[in-house]
Amino acid sequence: MAKLFIAESSKKSIENLSHFLSTEGHEATFYEKSKPLNEILSQGKFDVAVIDQNFKDMSYIEIANAFLKNPIHSNTHIIITTSTPNKEDLNKFSGLGINYIFVKPYRYKLLSDKIKYAINPNKGDYGAFEPDILKIFLESTIHIFDSIGNISIAAGRPFLKTGNESLSEISAVISLSSPQIKGSMSINVTRKILASCLFKMLGPNAVADEAAISDMCGELCNQIMGRAKQQFLKKKSMTFEITVPTILSEQYHILDYKSSAPVLVIPFLYEKVAGIFVEFCLEINDTPVTVEPEKLQVIVEEGELILF
């Protein structure tokens, strides 16, 4: 069914993967450094590359870039496998342009399903992450940072988050509820960006202490949600109730998502650095089963949010 490139260090995992994937009808090439990577890639295209983050013979970044920066293999779907996902790793994966993450230990049937989904995604299988809904939040975020702080930001490549630690220094979390949708939305911002918004909004003599910076984060979150709510009413015939933002500024603070749905993160770049992370954890109320994170993949294409 699929031609696979696999970089895996564990002999036991290689043995099990080889047996399972061949049974599923996949053709797998297991990479060993005894053979140059360029030589393997020159022999033909791969549908999917499964790369162990801790591959012993070569950096996973070097292997991923061999695919991503090679026009012949740029359409290869890349899955990074890891046993210890954390926010630093997620940022690295996102920076490389990798959205497919598989957490070890291997659950072989689930991995096979993910491979099949990467090749032939079901475009209707996005749960509450409907493209039109997320584009509204994306546009609202860019507009509010520009209008309030005179800060120009650009959307980066979205990814699915593992864990509930904040990806930045200060967070503002708002719970959402309506007859159609429930969950939460949060913005996570660096102190530097919040201070910049504060000075541009109140002038150079503004006091940028901890309380003022936290209030700035809450105000930005409120404004984004307010604009998004207006867009829902106008474009989607939907509405939702929102709560007062909860502000979190402790080191390594934890977010409460109010839902078991997958957490989608859209990073925003300011001066080419990802310093703003907008997170969504949403469910459509009339959907009886939450979509599994493994079945939800997101990319940004030509400035637009595309889900597949």
Side-chain angles (χ1 to χ4, degrees):
M1 294 179 66
K3 186 176 180 182
L4 309 176
F5 171 95
I6 298 180
E8 169 61 57
S9 298
S10 167
K11 292 182 179 179
K12 185 64 175 176
S13 291
I14 291 172
E15 180 182 336
N16 292 337
L17 280 169
S18 178
H19 172 74
F20 185 85
L21 293 174
S22 63
T23 301
E24 291 286 297
H26 300 302
E27 178 188 344
T29 296
F30 290 87
Y31 175 56
E32 296 179 2
K33 198 168 183 186
S34 58
K35 196 170 186 179
L37 180 58
N38 288 338
E39 182 179 333
I40 293 175
L41 297 186
S42 68
Q43 295 174 358
K45 296 182 179 180
F46 291 92
D47 298 306
V48 178
V50 182
I51 306 170
D52 178 14
Q53 184 188 13
N54 296 314
F55 187 62
K56 294 179 180 178
D57 293 336
M58 185 184 294
S59 164
Y60 78 93
I61 294 177
E62 187 176 352
I63 297 173
N65 279 331
F67 285 91
L68 295 167
K69 297 183 178 181
N70 186 327
I72 296 175
H73 296 279
S74 60
N75 291 325
T76 299
H77 300 284
I78 298 176
I79 298 175
I80 297 294
T81 64
T82 177
S83 56
T84 56
N86 55 57
K87 64 181 181 181
E88 288 81 11
D89 291 336
L90 290 174
N91 288 338
K92 287 181 183 178
F93 300 153
S94 177
L96 287 170
I98 298 169
N99 285 318
Y100 294 91
I101 313 299
F102 193 91
V103 180
K104 292 183 176 181
Y106 286 111
R107 291 161 288 169
Y108 297 103
K109 184 62 169 68
L110 186 59
L111 177 62
S112 181
D113 289 343
K114 191 160 189 173
I115 290 169
K116 294 175 185 175
Y117 187 81
I119 299 170
N120 295 301
N122 179 348
K123 294 189 178 183
D125 205 2
Y126 43 63
F129 295 101
E130 185 177 341
D132 288 345
I133 293 176
L134 290 181
K135 286 179 184 178
I136 290 170
F137 282 101
L138 186 151
E139 185 277 336
S140 296
T141 302
I142 293 174
H143 176 85
I144 293 303
F145 272 90
D146 179 61
S147 61
I148 290 184
N150 195 26
I151 286 180
S152 178
I153 60 176
R157 188 178 294 274
F159 58 90
L160 293 174
K161 182 179 178 181
T162 301
N164 57 356
E165 287 188 1
S166 172
L167 297 177
S168 198
E169 295 175 299
I170 299 181
S171 303
V173 184
I174 285 184
S175 297
L176 310 176
S177 65
S178 79
Q180 301 99 348
I181 197 168
K182 65 179 179 180
S184 66
M185 171 265 191
S186 70
I187 65 168
N188 308 269
V189 192
T190 63
R191 286 182 169 82
K192 179 180 178 181
I193 291 176
L194 291 171
S196 180
C197 288
L198 187 69
F199 290 132
K200 289 177 180 179
M201 183 177 179
L202 301 179
N205 296 322
V207 178
D209 57 15
E210 189 70 18
I213 288 176
S214 294
D215 288 343
M216 187 76 255
C217 189
E219 178 62 21
L220 288 167
C221 192
N222 265 328
Q223 292 287 339
I224 291 169
M225 289 304 304
R227 182 175 177 82
K229 187 173 182 179
Q230 289 179 348
Q231 297 301 312
F232 267 92
L233 289 170
K234 292 178 181 178
K235 295 182 179 180
K236 298 292 295 180
S237 298
M238 295 174 66
T239 184
F240 48 81
E241 298 302 319
I242 59 177
T243 63
V244 175
T246 299
I247 311 300
L248 303 168
S249 59
E250 300 83 4
Q251 190 174 20
Y252 308 121
H253 54 271
I254 302 298
L255 303 180
D256 181 5
Y257 294 112
K258 308 297 184 185
S259 170
S260 59
V263 179
L264 176 67
V265 182
I266 303 178
F268 288 86
L269 308 181
Y270 173 59
E271 297 180 345
K272 299 182 179 181
V273 177
I276 303 165
F277 299 88
V278 178
E279 301 182 358
F280 307 92
C281 184
L282 305 174
E283 297 178 33
I284 293 177
N285 289 339
D286 59 2
T287 301
V289 180
T290 299
V291 176
E292 296 177 4
E294 290 81 5
K295 292 185 177 180
L296 177 65
Q297 303 299 336
V298 189
I299 60 172
V300 166
E301 183 175 289
E302 297 180 355
E304 294 289 336
L305 190 65
I306 308 297
L307 287 88
F308 64 93

